[in-house]
């Protein structure tokens, strides 16, 4: 899952949501010590969400729709597209309007700039200024985000961009798979939080 889904799945408070985002920027166990107990918990939940997503049959089936040489990169494109599916139908999932949800998070994110890992500190102002999270409701933002990610890959960014054609070709099937997968992911996270490590 990508940024918006991780924030949605976090405990509904700014510190927890920041922890959910940090999961994409904090690696290893020792690095966890730099963050609060709430943030550490959400980083660990983030890792569990990623593992569950990667292993889910609907997601594996979606990856299989991509050309064999692209499947290694398809997961990145799918993560972004799943954020689009969530944002597009946001009112089905959350009572708080998407613009209010993202604005509250942006305020907290920008208030914590000095505490962020360098890569997140560098892009956080752009995330907020250009409303990356809210922009996912527009289909064109999927292509833009995937192309942006491709520029950060150390190699084979062109293969990630090439995934966009297969994503368009199989969009209906991938969307249908998301509708099956996402409620199961939400239920998985709810069950996970019954474990004291993630409560």
């Amino acid at each position: 899952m990508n940024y918006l889904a991780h924030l949605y799945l976090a405990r509904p408070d700014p510190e927890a949501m920041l922890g959910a985002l940090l999961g994409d920027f904090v690696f290893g166990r020792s690095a966890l010590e730099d963050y609060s107990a709430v943030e550490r918990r959400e980083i660990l939940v983030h890792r569990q969400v990623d593992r569950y997503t990667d292993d889910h049959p609907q997601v594996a089936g979606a990856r299989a729709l991509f050309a064999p040489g692209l499947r290694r990169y398809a997961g990145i494109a799918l993560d972004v597209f799943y954020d689009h599916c969530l944002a597009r139908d946001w009112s089905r999932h959350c009572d708080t309007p998407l613009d209010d949800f993202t604005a509250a998070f942006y305020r907290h994110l920008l208030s914590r700039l000095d505490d962020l890992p360098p890569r997140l500190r560098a892009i956080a102002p752009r995330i907020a200024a250009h409303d990356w999270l809210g922009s996912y409701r527009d289909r064109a933002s999927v292509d833009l985000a995937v192309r942006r990610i491709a520029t950060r890959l150390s190699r084979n960014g062109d293969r990630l961009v090439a995934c966009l054609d297969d994503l368009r070709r199989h969009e209906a099937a991938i969307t249908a798979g998301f509708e099956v997968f996402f409620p199961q992911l939400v239920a998985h996270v709810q069950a996970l939080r019954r474990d004291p490590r993630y409560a």
Side-chain angles (χ1 to χ4, degrees), residues 27-111:
F27 307 102
R29 291 207 68 84
S30 61
L32 293 174
E33 299 308 314
D34 294 336
Y35 301 97
S36 72
V38 169
E39 290 162 346
R40 286 197 301 271
R41 178 195 68 210
E42 296 299 333
I43 292 168
L44 294 175
V45 170
H46 179 121
R47 293 173 183 176
Q48 292 296 320
V49 165
D50 283 351
R51 188 169 296 119
Y52 180 87
T53 299
D54 289 344
D55 293 342
H56 196 280
Q58 290 292 339
V59 179
R63 283 196 303 269
L65 296 172
F66 289 75
L70 302 180
R71 290 176 188 160
R72 180 177 172 193
Y73 304 91
I76 299 171
L78 289 170
D79 281 349
V80 176
F81 183 75
Y82 290 159
D83 262 12
H84 165 65
C85 293
L86 175 60
R88 181 192 59 205
D89 296 321
W90 183 259
S91 62
R92 285 176 39 209
H93 301 281
C94 186
D95 293 333
T96 303
L98 180 57
D99 289 338
D100 295 347
F101 179 92
T102 59
F105 178 69
Y106 293 149
R107 284 192 297 273
H108 184 71
L109 177 67
L110 295 177
S111 76

Side-chain angles (χ1 to χ4, degrees), residues 105-125:
F105 178 69
Y106 293 149
R107 284 192 297 273
H108 184 71
L109 177 67
L110 295 177
S111 76
R112 295 285 307 278
L113 276 181
D114 291 342
D115 304 320
L116 301 178
R119 188 163 70 88
L120 180 54
R121 186 184 316 134
I123 65 171

Side-chain angles (χ1 to χ4, degrees), residues 11 22 25 28 53 65 67 70 88 91 93 97 130 147 164 167:
R11 292 281 192 202
L22 285 168
F25 299 88
T53 299
L65 296 172
L70 302 180
R88 181 192 59 205
S91 62
H93 301 281
H130 300 288
R147 291 178 188 280
L164 293 173
L167 182 61

